[in-house]
Amino acid sequence: MINKIYANDPHFRPVELQKGLNVISAEQSETANTGDTRNGVGKTTLIHIIDFCLGADLRTNKIPFRKIREWTFSMDMTLANQQITVRRSISDPKKIIIVGNCSDFPISPNRDVIDGQTYTLDEWRKILGALYFGLSVNDEISETPSYRSLIGYFLRKEKSAYNVEFTYFPQIPSYQKQINNAYLLGLKWEHVYTSKKQNNQEKETNKHQKFAKEGFFGKQSELDNNIVYLTAKIQQQEKSIREFRVHEQLSETQKQADTLTSQMKELSKRLYRAKRQLNQYKDSIRSEDLSDSLSVSELYEQMGIELGDRVNRRLSDVKRFHEQILENRQEFLKTEILELETTIQYTEKQYKAKDSERSELLGILNTHGALEDYNKLRNEFDKMQRELERLSENKSMIKDIDEKLATIKVDKAKLESLMQRDFASTNEIQQKCIEIFQENSTALYNVPGKLKIEINKTTYKFSTDIDAGGSEGKQSMQIFCYDLMLFERWRNNEGIDFLIHDSTLYDSVDNRQVAKALEHAHQKALKLNGQYICMFNSDDLQNLKFSQSFNITDYIRLILKDKNPEDSLLGFRYD
């Protein structure tokens, strides 16, 4: 539970929060002109500061950090049944200082400082992930849900976070959205990751199959017929060569020529293999380079998956290790290249010598008119053999593609069956989530809403709907009911104990539903020993009609004003 947020600078206006409903109000002065707004007084900024204390990256476009570089934010909170204070400075955001008892934390502190104990940012995130969402502190880079990917459902910051209930970030990949919601709803999220891998494999294999069907490898039926036809022709041609006879006195010469031809053919194969290997080694030297660990970090950050300090250090260690491997490999390749070049030179010399000797013998045969027919048979035989090898390789590749697709199909069928079974095993959990969602929507509209949790083969499908009877802001209230359902589910599992919404959620909602939502959230939070924290404009609050026993002013914890800079959250206005 969040008890107090404050800073080391006296200009910051501290705010104390309590169990149940907590309202942060922004008030527009009577003397403000029509061009004045309450943007910049600090409602949304407070959400970002709370998230900053809870491990968010420093968003320079959300907090005016240049003006508060020397500030340190502190947050008194209840965590693992202990009263602690978390401190994090703008100038050193990678270090977290905890004041209080950390003995029940799943990670021990690094060292003690004068007024507390220190953790790295990555460790702090893992602690919160374990205590709020039951995540393992041992997970490194993987497709498992992360603390930062889950906290966004309980602390929606950006305006775009209030568009859809099942995500807080429009650019999040579909599979990651499924993983997050499946985990929060108690479903088998691992199946989503397995399905993603299978789909990627299938997509890549289908590309190869498409090339094959378009004739890149040759159509299967044509390949079979051509292979049968060529095999028969080769056998016939081989028999003709074997039975080929020349004039008696040329038989020995012909044998010598044949021997030299066989020897040259073997030398040619050696040269081909050696040159191919040489080119591959040279290509390897040109192409091998160090992996860019920064690009990996940036990629995960854009996907909403933060890599902590330990992971970044591990990437650095891997990079150095990889560099050493590359250096060793390049030395090996240079040695191999030298040996191959020597072998090629020697083999080419042998080939030229035998070619010269054979030319003399063929000259003798040619003068007797026997060479032309023999060479024709031999050339046709060699050409047919090469074509047969090509067709056989293409057929083998098509077979491999078909077998791989068949395996993927079987694996997907197994996953679908497993997913159906596991989905049925979580029916009780699903029903409880639906029950809570219906309870929330009934409190707002007097009718139970619908939370649909379904699977389509190997994909989870989530949807909500409320019969709002023409009231405005139905989508926003579906987000409210879904978030409040998740809040209750995880509080019942001794998880996260707060839910935060910005005023954006209520912008288009009918006043009757807004009042009911606030009263309902207050009662839920009290029952669950948690907090519902929300931001509002003061005039919007004044227009709400609450029940007779509910006085909204009792729950306003801070009033921010635009008349004087010192009345704003940070003590100054900013855009």
Side-chain angles (χ1 to χ4, degrees):
M1 191 177 300
I2 302 171
N3 302 317
K4 184 178 180 180
I5 303 104
Y6 50 103
N8 63 341
D9 191 285
H11 293 91
F12 183 82
R13 298 190 62 194
V15 55
E16 295 187 18
L17 305 176
Q18 298 179 22
K19 184 167 63 174
L21 177 64
N22 296 268
V23 178
I24 309 301
S25 174
E27 183 178 292
Q28 190 175 39
S29 63
E30 295 180 0
T31 59
N33 59 48
T34 56
D36 291 334
T37 70
R38 278 160 288 201
N39 295 333
V41 298
K43 294 197 319 294
T44 304
T45 301
L46 179 60
I47 298 179
H48 285 277
I49 291 172
I50 291 173
D51 200 26
F52 179 69
C53 292
L54 292 173
D57 288 328
L58 180 62
R59 299 288 298 278
T60 58
N61 61 329
K62 300 300 180 181
I63 299 177
F65 76 102
R66 288 187 177 86
K67 294 184 179 182
I68 57 174
R69 286 180 178 175
E70 303 305 318
W71 287 28
T72 296
F73 289 104
S74 298
M75 190 162 75
D76 295 345
M77 59 190 300
T78 305
L79 191 65
N81 298 317
Q82 299 293 333
Q83 300 296 321
I84 66 163
T85 298
V86 54
R87 291 176 182 165
R88 189 178 178 196
S89 68
I90 298 295
S91 60
D92 190 10
K94 297 293 184 181
K95 182 173 71 175
I96 305 295
I97 297 177
I98 302 296
V99 181
N101 186 355
C102 304
S103 59
D104 291 333
F105 285 7
I107 299 176
S108 300
N110 295 308
R111 61 186 178 86
D112 293 340
V113 292
I114 295 176
D115 57 349
Q117 301 163 95
T118 64
Y119 287 95
T120 65
L121 176 58
D122 181 56
E123 289 170 339
W124 177 232
R125 288 172 175 171
K126 288 185 175 183
I127 290 170
L128 293 175
L131 297 177
Y132 282 160
F133 302 112
L135 297 172
S136 170
V137 296
N138 297 318
D139 288 334
E140 294 292 341
I141 301 175
S142 67
E143 298 292 340
T144 61
S146 69
Y147 160 70
R148 292 304 308 167
S149 71
L150 300 178
I151 189 65
Y153 293 89
F154 300 83
L155 191 151
R156 294 180 184 257
K157 297 181 295 185
E158 311 297 338
K159 199 167 185 178
S160 59
Y162 295 92
N163 294 332
V164 182
E165 54 269 49
F166 302 107
T167 184
Y168 54 88
F169 181 59
Q171 285 75 40
I172 190 171
S174 175
Y175 81 91
Q176 189 64 55
K177 181 174 68 175
Q178 287 187 64
I179 287 176
N180 292 343
N181 284 277
Y183 185 86
L184 291 173
L185 291 169
L187 306 176
K188 298 290 185 179
W189 61 268
E190 297 91 342
H191 297 327
V192 179
Y193 176 54
T194 303
S195 177
K196 171 181 172 280
K197 289 198 301 183
Q198 290 178 349
N199 289 336
N200 288 343
Q201 292 172 351
E202 186 176 41
K203 183 178 179 180
E204 189 65 26
T205 309
N206 277 330
K207 283 183 182 179
H208 296 157
Q209 189 185 58
K210 182 181 178 182
F211 291 148
K213 288 182 177 179
E214 291 176 350
F216 184 80
F217 298 135
K219 294 183 179 179
Q220 181 72 49
S221 58
E222 294 178 357
L223 282 174
D224 290 338
N225 280 277
N226 289 339
I227 287 173
V228 171
Y229 173 74
L230 271 176
T231 301
K233 281 199 69 176
I234 286 172
Q235 291 174 350
Q236 192 176 42
Q237 194 81 340
E238 189 175 26
K239 181 180 179 183
S240 297
I241 292 173
R242 190 169 58 249
E243 295 176 351
F244 188 87
R245 296 290 183 268
V246 295
H247 197 273
E248 187 174 348
Q249 62 266 33
L250 297 178
S251 296
E252 189 61 28
T253 303
Q254 184 66 64
K255 289 180 181 178
Q256 294 176 12
D258 287 345
T259 300
L260 289 171
T261 298
S262 297
Q263 292 173 347
M264 289 173 64
K265 186 176 181 180
E266 183 60 32
L267 289 173
S268 179
K269 288 181 180 178
R270 291 183 195 171
L271 279 172
Y272 173 78
R273 290 194 293 266
K275 288 180 179 180
R276 183 176 63 180
Q277 187 68 55
L278 179 63
N279 288 334
Q280 289 175 348
Y281 284 165
K282 288 183 176 180
D283 287 342
S284 294
I285 288 181
R286 286 193 296 269
S287 64
E288 288 178 346
D289 197 359
L290 296 178
S291 299
D292 189 351
S293 61
L294 182 57
S295 64
V296 175
S297 302
E298 291 176 344
L299 175 61
Y300 273 89
E301 183 177 354
Q302 292 172 6
M303 291 173 61
I305 304 174
E306 292 80 4
L307 305 180
D309 285 351
R310 182 174 298 174
V311 176
N312 283 320
R313 289 196 301 270
R314 177 164 294 183
L315 287 175
S316 178
D317 294 339
V318 169
K319 181 179 179 182
R320 288 193 297 271
F321 178 68
H322 186 55
E323 287 173 349
Q324 184 61 51
I325 291 176
L326 285 180
E327 289 176 2
N328 295 339
R329 176 168 170 75
Q330 294 231 343
E331 287 297 321
F332 167 76
L333 289 175
K334 289 176 182 178
T335 302
E336 290 295 307
I337 286 172
L338 183 60
E339 291 182 0
L340 281 171
E341 287 175 341
T342 302
T343 299
I344 289 170
Q345 289 177 0
Y346 177 75
T347 306
E348 286 178 339
K349 188 175 180 180
Q350 282 186 304
Y351 186 94
K352 287 179 182 179
K354 292 186 181 297
D355 184 51
S356 177
E357 183 180 353
R358 189 184 67 163
S359 294
E360 293 180 4
L361 296 175
L362 292 180
I364 296 173
L365 293 172
N366 194 39
T367 58
H368 290 77
L371 182 61
E372 183 177 351
D373 292 338
Y374 177 80
N375 281 344
K376 185 177 180 181
L377 289 172
R378 174 61 68 179
N379 289 338
E380 288 178 354
F381 177 78
D382 291 343
K383 184 178 179 181
M384 285 188 290
Q385 273 198 320
R386 289 193 297 271
E387 179 64 10
L388 180 61
E389 289 174 1
R390 186 185 71 83
L391 294 176
S392 299
E393 287 181 4
N394 290 350
K395 180 180 178 180
S396 177
M397 292 180 72
I398 292 176
K399 181 182 177 183
D400 290 343
I401 291 171
D402 290 342
E403 288 179 351
K404 188 172 183 180
L405 282 174
T407 300
I408 293 173
K409 186 177 180 180
V410 170
D411 289 343
K412 292 185 75 171
K414 289 180 180 178
L415 178 62
E416 184 177 349
S417 176
L418 179 61
M419 200 165 177
Q420 290 279 358
R421 187 193 69 192
D422 289 344
F423 186 72
S425 72
T426 60
N427 182 67
E428 185 176 341
I429 297 175
Q430 297 174 47
Q431 294 304 310
K432 184 60 179 177
C433 292
I434 292 171
E435 178 186 326
I436 298 172
F437 183 85
Q438 290 181 346
E439 179 185 340
N440 294 337
S441 58
T442 300
L444 304 184
Y445 296 98
N446 295 321
V447 292
K450 296 178 182 178
L451 168 61
K452 293 184 179 180
I453 306 171
E454 303 170 306
I455 55 173
N456 180 16
K457 294 185 177 180
T458 58
T459 302
Y460 285 116
K461 295 181 67 177
F462 309 104
S463 64
T464 64
D465 189 35
I466 298 175
D467 184 3
S471 297
E472 295 182 355
K474 182 182 82 164
Q475 178 60 37
S476 293
M477 289 298 91
Q478 288 173 184
I479 294 174
F480 171 84
C481 292
Y482 185 75
D483 289 357
L484 197 61
M485 177 273 295
L486 292 180
F487 173 57
E488 181 169 351
R489 165 170 158 67
W490 283 93
R491 278 307 296 141
N492 287 334
N493 288 303
E494 299 185 352
I496 188 168
D497 52 8
F498 61 83
L499 175 62
I500 302 176
H501 284 149
D502 203 350
S503 57
T504 302
L505 177 68
Y506 298 100
D507 282 347
S508 61
V509 181
D510 188 287
N511 285 342
R512 292 170 298 177
Q513 273 66 53
V514 175
K516 290 180 179 180
L518 294 181
E519 290 194 48
H520 183 61
H522 174 60
Q523 294 301 324
K524 280 277 187 179
L526 286 178
K527 174 185 173 183
L528 298 169
N529 193 30
Q531 296 170 304
Y532 181 68
I533 305 167
C534 59
M535 315 295 152
F536 264 95
N537 293 325
S538 59
D539 47 352
D540 292 334
L541 285 175
Q542 293 169 4
N543 294 327
L544 302 180
K545 293 183 179 180
F546 298 96
S547 61
Q548 190 172 3
S549 61
F550 189 86
N551 186 356
I552 189 63
T553 58
D554 293 341
Y555 308 104
I556 297 176
R557 309 306 179 194
L558 179 65
I559 299 177
L560 303 172
K561 300 180 181 180
D562 63 352
K563 185 175 182 179
N564 300 309
E566 58 269 22
D567 293 328
S568 64
L569 181 69
L570 302 178
F572 58 86
R573 294 290 303 274
Y574 66 94
D575 295 327

